[in-house]
Amino acid sequence: MSTGALSFLAIIPIITVLFFLVFLRWPAKKAMPIAFLVTVLVAYFVWEVPVNQIAGASLQGITTALEVLFIVFGAILMLNTLKESGAIQTIRQGFTDISPDRRIQAIIICWLFGSFIEGASGWGTPAAIIAPLLVAVGFPAMGAVMVALIIQSAPVSFGAVGTPILIGVQSGLAGSSAVEETAASIGMTLDQYVRMIGGEVAIFHGIVGLFIPLFMVTMLTFFFGENRSIKEGLAVWKFALFAGLSFTIPFTLVANLLGPEFPAMFGGLIGLAIVVPAAKKGLFMPKKDWDFAASSTWDPAWTGNLKIEPAQTLQPVSPVKAWIPYIIVGVLLVITRLESLPFGAWLKAFVIKAEKVFGSSISIESTPLFLPGFILLIVSVLSAFLYKMNRSTYGRAWKESGKTILAASPALLFSVPMVQVFINSDANNGGFESMPLVLAESVSGLAGSNWPAVAPAIGALGAFVAGSNTISNMMFSLFQFGTAQNVGINPSIVVALQAVGGAAGNMICVHNVVAASAAAGLIGKEGELIRKTFIPTVYYVFFAGGAGYIFIHGLGFNIGTVMAAIIAVLFLYACYQGQLQNKAEQQFYKWNRSA
């Protein structure tokens, strides 16, 4: 079979997902069973994957889906515990005290607090925690999920204490003599070479991710504002860039000076320490606050079933006491992820494991106590004692959380097995590479020396399919390295571009969207969300590709310079429009004061 024909067949599962979920806008619980069935048929009849391999991959997918559901349940239970105790009202008021402007709240909560959570835990946990928190603050559920997914980009390459680099890239490159020879030629071991790649990843994220806060608020005002205005988002361009730099500068420095373990965590914490006091002092802040229209006027599609009503019968909770559960979560996530401490090993000691499932090459392993969901569950129980909640009040938190998880389960229990069958199609009787590798090799044949411009898109494709930057890096790092060597360009930069694209793909991967939507009580709108988050994903891989091309080939009249110039022009135009909006708002503000 020709490479073109095989590539066409390999992309059918992805086209199926896009067709039903994005174009027809079916809910994931209906679209993903069809996508799973199509993937199984292609794997069995074209790749000739044995039935036991398909069954093993499917069971592995179900196991992963249950792990994701556990994390989401923990996040929702935490929020419902805070809601029932009255603590969420204090948190809501705290963010309002910093600024009632929803754009500023989104940047602080998502970009900075969310990046810290990403650095500590990964696993899509930030979106699962941040989305319901934004709903509690007063965001429409769909808007909350959208902005929570958008920040699943820059910090993701260093999520879970650097796992996508230290496990994903390193596992993907390990065992290759070409990689070891390249590392040795510059006086490095494989581990040192991977850490150098991690530093390059941070530099690309520092350049591209700088504009994510501005992207986020502009999409928020355009899709969910009363006036559907891009300019209202651009009006906070100074604050958005300030917040971007407050994260990306320490993020990049930490990655290059300390390694891949802490960039997202330290970037988020340092950013919070800089941006929150600045916001309280009014630095770079707009004159006019921006808010959503009255919730009674919202499009019904924007709202979910997560209701955050004031707990009138309970005593007010102090700000410090209200934030204690999230502080404990952050601390526990960090200390259980540090290999220098024993706590993670203790939690990993309890392992559920099955070797060569159904006689296939697939083994399944789960460490449920090490999952962020377990920590969230424990902190929820501690919070019930902290807030002196009675049994019936705390029971309501469990009941509401259980209902949300049951609604989200069907989509995840089909989407993740579909992914595993797709990835594990390398064990076949047809003599073919796995479906994702066939697709990647087909694209590399078309791109040639322009490969740096395309490399991030391959990483994003891997994350979209696999739902993980780590797995995308495992699948494609060696392929990216070999392709770079074949066309005579720096392989470390190309592998770095793979990791950057893999992070960007998290914004649109199906199970992240399903999990974040479920946490916010929004079910059945997954396709609509992917249509929205596809916009910043395209920006990310496009800009990263252009920057990567320039890093390798230098400035000049080439495709990389053209790509970067397009982004520069759009950015300058956006700042100009934002400044015009600022002037208009300032004049309106002065007119109101004089009146």
Side-chain angles (χ1 to χ4, degrees):
M1 187 180 297
S2 69
T3 303
L6 199 62
S7 299
F8 173 75
L9 292 169
I11 205 172
I12 286 176
I14 296 174
I15 291 174
T16 303
V17 173
L18 294 174
F19 179 72
F20 288 105
L21 198 62
V22 179
F23 295 106
L24 293 186
R25 304 188 187 189
W26 282 20
K29 65 181 181 181
K30 291 183 179 179
M32 295 317 297
I34 295 175
F36 171 71
L37 179 60
V38 168
T39 306
V40 168
L41 292 175
V42 172
Y44 182 75
F45 288 106
V46 179
W47 262 254
E48 300 180 31
V49 178
V51 172
N52 65 334
Q53 181 79 2
I54 292 173
S58 300
L59 186 58
Q60 185 180 48
I62 291 171
T63 303
T64 303
L66 292 174
E67 291 179 336
V68 173
L69 286 167
F70 184 34
I71 295 168
V72 174
F73 176 77
I76 300 169
L77 181 61
M78 264 280 290
L79 185 83
N80 282 329
T81 302
L82 297 181
K83 179 187 77 171
E84 294 294 339
S85 69
I88 203 67
Q89 306 307 319
T90 302
I91 291 173
R92 176 190 288 174
Q93 186 60 48
F95 281 116
T96 303
D97 291 344
I98 295 173
S99 172
D101 193 313
R102 300 299 189 181
R103 300 166 297 187
I104 306 302
Q105 292 174 0
I107 290 172
I108 292 173
I109 298 172
C110 285
W111 176 242
L112 298 173
F113 182 55
S115 293
F116 166 74
I117 296 296
E118 173 61 39
S121 65
W123 282 88
T125 309
I129 291 177
I130 295 302
L133 182 56
L134 287 173
V135 173
V137 172
F139 283 57
M142 185 177 285
V145 175
M146 182 190 75
V147 293
L149 287 168
I150 289 174
I151 67 101
Q152 293 282 100
S153 49
V156 167
S157 287
F158 302 99
V161 200
T163 297
I165 302 296
L166 297 175
I167 302 298
V169 173
Q170 186 148 328
S171 297
L173 297 179
S176 168
S177 58
V179 175
E180 291 173 358
E181 289 170 8
T182 300
S185 69
I186 54 176
M188 292 183 175
T189 63
L190 176 61
D191 181 69
Q192 291 170 329
Y193 188 66
V194 168
R195 287 176 177 272
M196 181 190 74
I197 291 172
E200 294 169 343
V201 170
I203 292 170
F204 284 119
H205 276 310
I207 295 169
V208 183
L210 171 62
F211 305 115
I212 283 294
L214 184 60
F215 225 115
M216 181 174 66
V217 295
T218 301
M219 290 184 63
L220 189 67
T221 60
F222 179 71
F223 286 112
F224 301 98
E226 185 175 7
N227 301 319
R228 302 297 180 95
S229 168
I230 290 177
K231 288 185 178 181
E232 289 178 346
L234 297 176
V236 295
W237 70 273
K238 291 180 183 178
F239 186 86
L241 288 183
F242 169 64
L245 288 168
S246 297
F247 171 80
T248 56
I249 290 176
F251 169 86
T252 305
L253 289 174
V254 169
N256 283 277
L257 296 175
L258 300 180
E261 292 90 347
F262 304 111
M265 277 193 294
F266 282 12
L269 285 175
I270 294 169
L272 282 169
I274 295 171
V275 172
V276 171
K280 287 182 176 179
K281 291 180 179 179
L283 294 178
F284 308 111
M285 298 281 278
K287 288 289 185 183
K288 183 182 177 184
D289 293 325
W290 181 87
D291 200 352
F292 304 104
S295 59
S296 58
T297 67
W298 291 352
D299 185 329
W302 298 357
T303 58
N305 55 27
L306 183 64
K307 305 298 181 186
I308 310 294
E309 300 296 338
Q312 300 288 352
T313 59
L314 298 178
Q315 292 293 321
V317 178
S318 70
V320 173
K321 197 172 182 179
W323 274 103
I324 282 177
Y326 282 121
I327 294 170
I328 294 174
V329 167
V331 170
L332 291 179
L333 285 173
V334 172
I335 66 173
T336 55
R337 268 64 187 166
L338 291 175
E339 292 186 3
S340 57
L341 298 175
F343 307 111
W346 295 348
L347 296 178
K348 288 180 180 177
F350 177 68
V351 182
I352 300 172
K353 193 172 184 179
E355 299 282 355
K356 296 184 178 180
V357 182
F358 301 125
S360 69
S361 63
I362 295 170
S363 296
I364 298 173
E365 183 176 307
S366 179
T367 52
L369 301 186
F370 186 69
L371 294 174
F374 178 70
I375 289 173
L376 289 162
L377 187 67
I378 293 298
V379 175
S380 169
V381 174
L382 292 175
S383 300
F385 288 101
L386 174 68
Y387 300 128
K388 299 178 181 178
M389 299 171 67
N390 59 46
R391 186 175 299 178
S392 63
T393 303
Y394 190 47
R396 278 200 304 271
W398 277 80
K399 184 178 179 181
E400 291 301 317
S401 304
K403 285 180 181 178
T404 304
I405 284 300
L406 286 175
S409 298
L412 279 171
L413 290 173
F414 281 99
S415 62
V416 187
M418 171 254 175
V419 165
Q420 290 301 325
V421 173
F422 189 81
I423 292 171
N424 287 286
S425 54
D426 56 337
N428 60 72
N429 296 322
F432 305 131
E433 298 279 6
S434 66
M435 292 189 223
L437 203 54
V438 166
L439 287 174
E441 288 177 345
S442 178
V443 174
S444 70
L446 298 172
S449 61
N450 293 323
W451 183 249
V454 179
I458 297 298
L461 173 66
F464 168 71
V465 172
S468 164
N469 189 9
T470 300
I471 295 177
S472 178
N473 291 343
M474 284 181 179
M475 284 195 297
F476 291 134
S477 286
L478 188 58
F479 162 75
Q480 297 267 21
F481 185 95
T483 302
Q485 282 200 321
N486 288 341
V487 297
I489 56 180
N490 188 331
S492 71
I493 292 180
V494 173
V495 175
L497 292 172
Q498 150 65 37
V500 171
N506 274 257
M507 289 187 271
I508 55 172
C509 82
V510 176
H511 87 238
N512 267 0
V513 175
V514 173
S517 298
L522 189 72
I523 305 297
K525 304 297 179 185
E526 297 86 0
E528 186 64 31
L529 282 160
I530 291 174
R531 289 163 69 94
K532 289 178 169 62
T533 55
F534 187 71
I535 299 169
T537 303
V538 169
Y539 152 76
Y540 219 95
V541 298
F542 183 84
F543 192 9
Y549 195 98
I550 292 171
F551 266 66
I552 290 173
H553 295 292
L555 290 170
F557 187 71
N558 56 47
I559 186 173
T561 306
V562 171
M563 293 166 76
I566 291 171
I567 295 295
V569 169
L570 290 174
F571 167 68
L572 291 173
Y573 179 73
C575 291
Y576 172 70
Q577 291 296 324
Q579 195 62 22
L580 289 179
Q581 180 71 15
N582 267 330
K583 288 181 179 179
E585 289 180 0
Q586 285 173 5
Q587 287 190 339
F588 181 78
Y589 178 75
K590 289 177 181 178
W591 181 84
N592 270 347
R593 289 190 65 184
S594 62

